[in-house]
Amino acid sequence: MSALHTRALEEIARSAGHAADGAGATVRSALAAIRASRTGPDDLNAFLMLDDAGAAAVAEAVDRAVAGGSAAGPLAGVPVAIKDNICTRDMPTTCGSRILEGYVSPFEATAVRHLRAAGAVLVGKTNMDEFAMGSSTENSAYGPVRNPHDTTRVPGGSSGGSAAAVAAGLVPAALGSDTGGSVRQPAALCGVVGLKPTWGRVSRYGLVAFGSSLDQIGTFGKTVRDAALLCEVIAGNDPRDATCVDLPVPALTHASTMGAAGLTVGLPREYFGDGLDPDVRARCTAAIEALREQGVNCREVSLPHTAWAIPAYYVIAPAEASSNLARYDGVRYGLRDERAETARDVYTRSRSAGFGAEVKRRIMLGTFALSAGYHDQFYGRAQRVRARIRADFRSLFDAGVDAIFTPTTPAPAFRLGEKTLDPVQMYLSDVYTVTANLAGLPAVSVPIGTVRGLPVGGQVMADHWREDTVVRVAAALERALSP
């Protein structure tokens, strides 16, 4: 059994209030803990659905295999949660939206198939911002997720359900998706590890598209090693995804034990300017000193086009979303308003009833940015900014910088409802994370302490295909800051 499986036995049983022995008991404990989290005034609302029968059957099969001396996979018996925009055949995939309410995919995501092959037990689907559009998981059609550290605050988004589930000890690991920071930002606000691999490292087959050139499946864990193990399992070439690369997957769990001495870590001055909470800055300063004590060479660098990342992202992502979400038309699948009398009525009524306010806002923004007469002015210009952001990173890596350290978020978790009426302020929650998606880089958020009793994270980015480097630096930081 893996170390992650052993901790799953201990931690989930503890959260459920009783001892566990074996995969079957571990999964029962996990399901009991999840149900307990969905009751009372502190309901986390982290899960949208559970698969009791399927999880029990898989766990029993794992126990039989282990008892019979068969080789167990690296995730044998580990309960894992899946964000609800990743397709599964045995549970609905709603993307947190009414327009897909009750929809069950006829196929399964490649990442999910890899988890099953590794022996993982998929216990349920987690709540999320509708179609992954949000930074707080308040945009779900099924209600907001609450932060386990303070249930009056958001868990971050859009993968807030997965982050909250791991932070609360309901599951030891989970999958999310990251389009502009949707794994790393909630990981930081919930005090767990969130790893986004290089775009193309993990197959996107079965991940419901938001922004196709930005989306990437990522992993959550209590520790860097756990998130790295999950990523190592789901990574690899996939003929079903033409953008997935055929490159060897690095031994990420081994990388987590290597240390980071001798590496050069850049500290981009643009990420430590105005807008960063002073207490978060102090935690980052302490993290940088901890890296130096580990033998890491930390030096100030510049990424001069960072200021244009948010404007570029919020043109490119809505533009791609407006195209990807055109398929939800009330004709082929999903919600259909039966009152419609004409084809135009079907489209208009179904989409009006099925999509929430934030999704509608981004569809309109994206459609406008792609419209005749504005395409080059907005979308074309945003793509040119994206190229310059990529070039900024390229110049640093070519100059010998191994990794980059920044804050993950400008402040700790904000209160539920605090930013829902101010979309711009909500979008700025991702100010430090969108660059990794625009450049297609691997990145990880690792806890670096607390601010006013709430967790905050530090972000590590590295060159394309160097997930091993971000894991090395993040694990070194984790060890240095552990109490």
Side-chain angles (χ1 to χ4, degrees):
M1 291 289 181
S2 67
L4 178 54
H5 177 270
T6 302
R7 286 195 296 278
L9 288 171
E10 297 170 351
E11 294 175 8
I12 293 177
R14 190 183 308 115
S15 68
H18 57 79
D21 182 20
T26 301
V27 169
R28 287 193 295 273
S29 295
L31 292 169
I34 292 167
R35 286 197 179 81
S37 78
R38 302 170 80 178
T39 59
D42 291 335
D43 175 10
L44 295 181
N45 199 29
F47 281 82
L48 293 179
M49 62 209 73
L50 300 177
D51 183 19
D52 296 73
V58 173
E60 289 169 5
V62 169
D63 283 337
R64 286 195 301 272
V66 172
S70 300
L75 296 175
V78 176
V80 176
I82 308 295
K83 187 177 179 179
D84 195 32
N85 61 344
I86 300 173
C87 290
T88 51
R89 285 186 300 182
D90 48 7
M91 290 177 279
T93 300
T94 72
C95 295
S97 178
R98 294 295 182 193
I99 208 161
L100 283 177
E101 188 169 16
Y103 170 74
V104 179
S105 170
F107 60 89
E108 200 152 66
T110 298
V112 170
R113 291 192 297 106
H114 286 331
L115 287 179
R116 293 193 192 278
V121 182
L122 310 187
V123 294
K125 305 292 284 290
T126 55
N127 204 352
M128 56 179 285
D129 282 305
E130 185 180 8
F131 282 98
M133 298 183 193
S135 302
S136 64
T137 318
E138 293 174 284
N139 294 329
S140 170
Y142 306 99
V145 178
R146 299 176 183 274
N147 192 313
H149 296 273
D150 180 346
T151 54
T152 68
R153 296 180 183 267
V154 303
S158 63
S159 306
S162 290
V166 174
L170 307 179
V171 290
L175 293 189
S177 69
D178 193 312
T179 305
S182 291
V183 164
R184 290 159 290 147
Q185 188 251 26
L189 300 189
C190 288
V192 297
V193 177
L195 173 60
K196 182 200 89 72
T198 308
W199 188 85
R201 172 69 79 185
V202 173
S203 173
R204 291 182 297 113
Y205 179 80
L207 171 65
V208 178
F210 163 15
S212 301
S213 73
L214 303 160
D215 296 339
Q216 186 63 76
I217 294 176
T219 62
F220 291 96
K222 280 289 187 88
T223 67
V224 173
R225 187 184 186 282
D226 290 354
L229 172 59
L230 209 62
C231 185
E232 194 174 332
V233 165
I234 66 173
N237 187 38
D238 180 13
R240 294 179 178 87
D241 179 2
T243 64
C244 197
V245 298
D246 188 8
L247 289 174
V249 178
L252 300 182
T253 48
H254 174 66
S256 69
T257 67
M258 291 176 62
L263 295 179
T264 296
V265 172
L267 311 172
R269 64 178 67 96
E270 292 82 4
Y271 287 70
F272 294 91
D274 296 339
L276 179 61
D277 183 296
D279 293 329
V280 176
R281 185 191 304 274
R283 298 281 71 75
C284 287
T285 299
I288 292 165
E289 289 306 310
L291 285 175
R292 287 192 171 115
E293 291 173 3
Q294 296 279 313
V296 176
N297 173 32
C298 298
R299 60 182 176 87
E300 187 178 89
V301 297
S302 178
L303 292 166
H305 292 94
T306 298
W308 303 107
I310 285 286
Y313 175 84
Y314 279 102
V315 171
I316 295 170
E320 295 186 4
S322 71
S323 177
N324 280 323
L325 270 62
R327 70 194 70 178
Y328 304 106
D329 53 13
V331 176
R332 285 162 285 192
Y333 56 90
L335 177 69
R336 176 170 182 163
D337 193 314
E338 298 299 335
R339 297 170 298 173
E341 297 181 356
T342 67
R344 181 180 289 275
D345 271 353
V346 171
Y347 302 152
T348 302
R349 287 179 175 272
S350 300
R351 290 168 69 84
S352 295
F355 288 139
E358 182 61 27
V359 173
K360 292 174 184 175
R361 179 186 291 120
R362 297 199 193 192
I363 289 173
M364 289 189 291
L365 284 171
T367 302
F368 177 77
L370 293 175
S371 60
Y374 293 100
H375 184 283
D376 190 63
Q377 182 179 351
F378 292 105
Y379 187 72
R381 185 173 296 180
Q383 290 289 17
R384 291 191 288 274
V385 170
R386 182 182 195 173
R388 294 192 178 191
I389 289 170
R390 285 173 171 164
D392 288 346
F393 282 105
R394 182 78 271 139
S395 65
L396 291 185
F397 297 135
D398 288 346
V401 172
D402 297 297
I404 292 164
F405 175 81
T406 76
T408 308
T409 61
F414 47 91
R415 294 192 180 278
L416 288 159
E418 184 177 326
K419 299 184 179 182
T420 52
L421 299 179
D422 191 343
V424 174
Q425 286 301 310
M426 184 73 78
Y427 296 166
L428 288 173
S429 299
D430 300 329
V431 65
Y432 301 136
T433 55
V434 296
T435 51
N437 298 82
L438 289 169
L441 301 174
V444 64
S445 179
V446 60
I448 58 171
T450 58
V451 167
R452 300 182 288 279
L454 297 168
V456 292
Q459 178 179 226
V460 181
M461 295 180 276
D463 202 355
H464 298 95
W465 322 119
R466 295 316 304 263
E467 289 84 3
D468 54 340
T469 300
V470 299
V471 166
R472 285 180 63 187
V473 176
L477 191 54
E478 180 180 68
R479 285 190 293 270
L481 297 178
S482 295

